Amino acid sequence: MGSLLLRLFLGLLFAVFGLLNYWGNVSYNPITGENQRVALTPEQEIALGQQGRQEIVAQMGGLHPSRELQAYVNQVGQRVLQQSQAAQSPYPFDFSLIDDPATINAFALPGGQIFVTTGLLKALDAESQLAGVLGHEIGHVVARHGAEHLAKQQLGAMLVNAIGVATSDDGRSGQQAAVIAQAVNQLVSLNYSRQDELESDRLGFEFMTEADYNPEGILELMQIFESAEAGGSPPEFLSTHPNPGNRITLLEETIQEAYPNGIPAQLIEGEEEFSQTVDSKLS
């Protein structure tokens, strides 16, 4: 009886600690202007992203062997980054091309590791569209969406750990169950929320236009995704980045508000540059 009470007390203690840890970790994000509940420091996010990079690359078939394509993707990403307010973030961004022609997707790890698949790159036809993709993913990183999810997962893991301690006679088995539950929790929470997606759309628009890219690129990007979905082949991007439903309308309104007199002709579309660099390598 005494052992059971001790386990219940320890379980309650872990649960209370998890709740206090989650609600007590508030950090101000100077780029988004939001107060966020995040447990990781930017340095820890960077370390996490760098550790996860190798695993992601191995799981998805490796990097594309073309140095020219890798350099091009990184060049566009760095332009969007360095010429926008995203450059104020503490993250050392890296943009990589995954050799996966069957998957249409792009994604980011906390800390600035951003990936585009060859399947997505092949679906595009302008540099401004690529800038829209990378700006959107930069938005997820600087808005710390991954860190926010991890904070929630940490809370979930602490609660699961509390249950494990309370119901197990073997302390190690309870710890093992908590570790497994935490790993599962991480996988389940990979999908972004509607709010995350809309915020990254807005940030991506701001970043790419600050870098002098034509904002219609991000609009065309979403139209490409919706056309693929309507054709019966929904891209993986819409699985990991749930479609808010009215994002095209909202992007059109954003463009109209930013450019009431029309989009300036000098903004970059980059169709010829994109075709010369990408088409010959992925044909």
Side-chain angles (χ1 to χ4, degrees):
M1 181 67 178
S3 177
L4 175 61
L5 289 175
L6 178 61
R7 292 198 304 272
L8 289 173
F9 173 75
L10 290 174
L12 179 62
L13 189 64
F14 277 122
V16 171
F17 176 77
L19 286 166
L20 291 175
N21 187 55
Y22 176 71
W23 291 103
N25 280 302
V26 179
S27 177
Y28 177 73
N29 190 322
I31 295 181
T32 64
E34 299 172 338
N35 287 315
Q36 299 175 286
R37 290 186 174 88
V38 290
L40 296 177
T41 66
E43 291 76 19
Q44 290 170 328
E45 287 182 82
I46 293 168
L48 177 64
Q50 291 174 343
Q51 290 175 4
R53 172 185 171 84
Q54 292 183 345
E55 183 176 348
I56 289 294
V57 169
Q59 287 178 356
M60 299 193 68
L63 298 176
H64 193 278
S66 171
R67 293 184 179 181
E68 184 178 356
L69 282 180
Q70 293 291 349
Y72 181 65
V73 170
N74 191 60
Q75 171 190 317
V76 175
Q78 292 296 339
R79 179 187 176 103
V80 174
L81 172 67
Q82 298 299 333
Q83 297 190 28
S84 71
Q85 60 177 326
Q88 300 172 16
S89 75
Y91 305 116
F93 280 85
D94 186 70
F95 304 88
S96 301
L97 181 64
I98 296 287
D99 193 11
D100 185 358
T103 302
I104 298 177
N105 203 7
F107 52 93
L109 295 178
Q113 298 293 324
I114 293 180
F115 304 90
V116 176
T117 65
T118 51
L120 174 55
L121 193 64
K122 194 170 184 178
L124 308 180
D125 55 25
E127 188 172 303
S128 59
Q129 296 168 6
L130 177 59
V133 171
L134 298 178
H136 180 94
E137 297 304 325
I138 292 172
H140 281 305
V141 174
V142 301
R144 307 188 74 183
H145 292 155
E148 286 183 316
H149 282 297
L150 289 173
K152 294 175 184 177
Q153 291 166 3
Q154 184 181 40
L155 171 60
M158 292 298 294
L159 294 174
V160 170
N161 191 33
I163 295 170
V165 172
T167 58
S168 174
D169 289 323
D170 183 347
R172 287 182 302 173
S173 65
Q175 291 172 357
Q176 291 171 351
V179 170
I180 294 172
Q182 186 177 31
V184 172
N185 204 353
Q186 290 173 346
L187 293 174
V188 170
S189 300
L190 286 178
N191 286 354
Y192 291 114
S193 69
R194 180 180 185 275
Q195 182 179 353
D196 290 344
E197 284 304 292
L198 291 176
E199 183 172 41
S200 287
D201 281 352
R202 176 182 61 79
L203 290 171
F205 168 86
E206 292 177 2
F207 297 159
M208 69 179 298
T209 53
E210 286 171 349
D212 292 330
Y213 280 107
N214 189 318
E216 288 190 339
I218 194 170
L219 184 61
E220 293 164 356
L221 172 69
M222 299 307 169
Q223 291 170 337
I224 289 171
F225 291 148
E226 289 206 347
S227 295
E229 185 177 31
S233 301
E236 185 67 20
F237 187 91
L238 293 183
S239 175
T240 55
H241 301 68
N243 193 342
N246 60 341
R247 73 191 322 166
I248 288 181
T249 300
L250 290 174
L251 284 169
E252 289 174 337
E253 292 174 353
T254 300
I255 292 173
Q256 177 61 32
E257 182 178 346
Y259 302 101
N261 298 320
I263 297 173
Q266 71 268 23
L267 294 186
I268 300 169
E269 293 185 16
E271 293 180 352
E272 183 176 350
E273 294 85 346
F274 185 90
S275 177
Q276 291 176 348
T277 305
V278 174
D279 291 350
S280 63
K281 301 293 182 181
L282 294 183
S283 57

